[in-house]
Amino acid sequence: MSASTDLFIIGGGINGTGIARDAAGRGLSVRLAEQGDLAGATSSASTKLFHGGLRYLEFMELRLVREALREREVLLRAMPHIAWPMRFVLPLDPLMRFEGRTPVSRLMSVVMPWARGRRPRLMIRAGLFLYDNLGARTILPGTSALRLKGTPEGAPLQDRLARAYEYSDCWVDDARLVVLNARDAAARGTDIIVGARVVEARRDGDGWTVRLADDRSFRAKVLVNAAGPWVGDVIRDVAHLPSTERVRLVRGSHIIVPKLFDHAKSYFLQGQDGRIVFAIPYENDFTLIGTTDVDHTGPANAAVCTPDEIAYLCRFVSGYFRRPVTPADVVRTFSGVRPLYDDGASSATAATRDYVLSLDESGPACLHVFGGKITTYRRLAEAALAKLAPHLPHAGGDWTAGVPLPGGDFPVDGARALADALRRDHPFLTPGWANRLVRAYGTEAAVMLDGATTAQDLGRDFGATLTETELAWMMTREWAKSGEDALWRRSKLGLHMTPDQVAAVDDFVSSRRAAA
């Protein structure tokens, strides 16, 4: 039995690692256990955006949208290597009709009966006005109108699409965000345990005893259930707590296809079913398309993009782009299960995306985390610590706003200068290689390459600019335990590698772990 900690956190996704980092920075002792890999489930299967959620305005989720919009620039400043501003093109489709189901669309059908079955231009512009002004913007530019004919933005679109609006949100590497929060938490004293499933948590005197599948046991004053899609399983089967609260599992699936356009902006596309889908530049050579909203049944770790979802996303974007997208074009899919709070909404699309923190004080405290958006993870962590404050009276105050994550200590617009400096110090780097390292590691890229004067100094070349030095960094500093961890969560280099190269990475990681 190890020494007792203030917090034991179940779950190594963005909510668990965000709470761990915040708590450790307040001077609390923290231990976190993740059953698989960090960001191994929902937190690596997002649409990779820091965004306010323009669509959520239709559901009157004003508090959530306002909080998320204000967070975008706070987060940009803390992680300019893994997050950056992105412009989104919203084409105005004169033929679009949909069945309105949202509170705003129902109201508009009364106020503007002539626009029934549409999101009229006035409604879209009003929503974008709110989007620009609900949050305090100093970095991100506001909305502008576009005439698409003869422009790079209009070139890949069908001829009927003549006008559009363009607005701002942000891109983020979701899985690296989780890993960097875990690294910062560990640097502040958190014990991060990866590949360790919690099988029992029971109240024991004035605290909790937590047992892992390998029979290790730990003590803690407070238990935090941030298990994501498994939050209900932890309540019922691990902690054996009575609860009437339920989680609603909603699957979001994405497809990746060869790139559909050559510029760096994304598209926000409206569907006849009232949903929206993004088409986003991805890994230089690809376009990321998503997401769906489908109630998920069965195990959370069995989420896959079904043939119906693939066909749906292909049909959706083919209604906008000149070049049709077919299932045969899809090079990879991924799906995540959102653990939303079950608010009784009639559809998966209408279910709230806001987070709910439920505190059980019938004995030593236990906090259950439902839902949440990746954009508001930092605020969720602050709210969680505020809720637990009576049980942790020696904790410090809020501190994370403006404090960079590892490698993020450079200006928001400084990535290019950092890549140029990296190439000056290591002339063997190609521009693309240097830029990739900066976008993954920021100022720590120079630490990784320290002393290297040739590419051979970095050890074995696995392809796609992945070297033995970088792979060892992922294993020793970022908890990577398999080739999949390295190629699909610590990076996305698996998209650029051959099957033989992927197998070589798997073999290297396995051999190194066996020798450790």
Side-chain angles (χ1 to χ4, degrees), residues 38-62:
L38 296 173
T42 306
S43 294
S44 60
S46 77
T47 314
K48 326 297 182 193
L49 300 178
F50 280 152
H51 67 133
L54 181 59
R55 184 173 59 87
Y56 304 153
L57 289 175
E58 284 193 299
F59 293 94
M60 303 301 291
E61 297 255 23
L62 294 179

Side-chain angles (χ1 to χ4, degrees), residues 161-202:
L161 303 169
R163 307 175 80 175
Y165 287 118
E166 182 180 296
Y167 70 95
S168 291
D169 265 321
C170 309
W171 163 268
V172 65
D173 187 328
D174 52 5
R176 291 207 61 77
L177 173 64
V178 175
V179 168
L180 294 182
N181 270 273
R183 282 198 56 210
D184 201 45
R188 299 174 190 275
T190 298
D191 181 17
I192 305 286
I193 310 172
V194 174
R197 184 168 62 90
V198 175
V199 295
E200 182 185 30
R202 57 183 172 83

Side-chain angles (χ1 to χ4, degrees), residues 9-278:
I9 300 172
I10 302 175
I14 188 55
N15 291 336
T17 57
I19 292 170
R21 179 196 184 218
D22 192 327
R26 296 170 189 253
L28 298 171
S29 57
V30 184
R31 183 170 281 116
L32 179 149
E34 161 55 42
Q35 65 177 344
D37 183 31
L38 296 173
T42 306
S43 294
S44 60
S46 77
T47 314
K48 326 297 182 193
L49 300 178
F50 280 152
H51 67 133
L54 181 59
R55 184 173 59 87
Y56 304 153
L57 289 175
E58 284 193 299
F59 293 94
M60 303 301 291
E61 297 255 23
L62 294 179
R63 191 212 64 79
L64 174 63
V65 175
R66 181 186 297 110
E67 182 176 78
L69 289 172
R70 291 176 176 174
E71 272 296 282
R72 292 177 307 177
E73 296 195 6
V74 173
L75 299 176
L76 275 178
R77 291 186 173 93
M79 54 196 79
H81 47 334
I82 63 167
W84 53 89
M86 182 172 278
R87 295 290 278 175
F88 288 76
V89 178
L90 195 167
L92 300 173
D93 187 349
L95 302 182
M96 179 59 62
R97 295 289 187 276
F98 72 97
E99 183 181 345
R101 303 182 186 90
T102 70
V104 171
S105 62
R106 287 195 294 266
L107 175 63
M108 292 298 291
S109 69
V110 175
V111 176
M112 299 180 176
W114 53 268
R116 183 168 299 175
R118 300 180 60 190
R119 289 186 181 100
R121 185 179 177 191
L122 177 62
M123 174 182 168
I124 294 172
R125 188 62 189 92
L128 289 168
F129 175 83
L130 282 175
Y131 209 69
D132 283 344
N133 291 282
L134 279 175
R137 287 183 302 107
T138 59
I139 298 172
L140 300 173
T143 297
S144 59
L146 288 178
R147 292 190 178 275
L148 294 171
K149 186 176 181 180
T151 66
E153 296 88 350
L157 298 176
Q158 296 178 14
D159 288 339
R160 75 177 187 282
L161 303 169
R163 307 175 80 175
Y165 287 118
E166 182 180 296
Y167 70 95
S168 291
D169 265 321
C170 309
W171 163 268
V172 65
D173 187 328
D174 52 5
R176 291 207 61 77
L177 173 64
V178 175
V179 168
L180 294 182
N181 270 273
R183 282 198 56 210
D184 201 45
R188 299 174 190 275
T190 298
D191 181 17
I192 305 286
I193 310 172
V194 174
R197 184 168 62 90
V198 175
V199 295
E200 182 185 30
R202 57 183 172 83
R203 287 184 166 119
D204 187 2
D206 61 352
W208 288 85
T209 295
V210 180
R211 183 168 62 88
L212 305 184
D214 60 11
D215 278 338
R216 282 182 290 171
S217 292
F218 303 96
R219 289 277 298 166
K221 294 178 183 176
V222 171
L223 183 69
V224 175
N225 174 11
W230 294 273
V231 62
D233 296 342
V234 170
I235 294 172
R236 182 181 60 253
D237 302 327
V238 174
H240 303 290
L241 296 173
S243 176
T244 59
E245 294 172 307
R246 296 187 303 167
V247 63
R248 183 171 188 166
L249 300 181
V250 175
R251 186 173 66 249
S253 295
H254 301 76
I255 60 175
I256 300 169
V257 301
K259 67 179 179 180
L260 300 174
F261 44 90
D262 291 323
H263 56 78
K265 297 177 183 178
S266 295
Y267 291 91
F268 177 110
L269 308 175
Q270 304 177 76
Q272 293 182 348
D273 56 0
R275 284 197 38 73
I276 61 94
V277 161
F278 294 103

Side-chain angles (χ1 to χ4, degrees), residues 35 41-42 225-237 245-253 291-304 309 335-353 369-372:
Q35 65 177 344
T42 306
N225 174 11
W230 294 273
V231 62
D233 296 342
V234 170
I235 294 172
R236 182 181 60 253
D237 302 327
E245 294 172 307
R246 296 187 303 167
V247 63
R248 183 171 188 166
L249 300 181
V250 175
R251 186 173 66 249
S253 295
T291 179
T292 58
D293 261 325
V294 182
D295 280 313
H296 180 77
T297 57
N301 58 358
V304 296
E309 287 177 294
S335 297
V337 177
R338 305 180 187 99
L340 305 181
Y341 186 77
D342 191 350
D343 60 356
S346 59
S347 69
T349 300
T352 181
R353 265 54 178 175
V369 180
F370 295 88

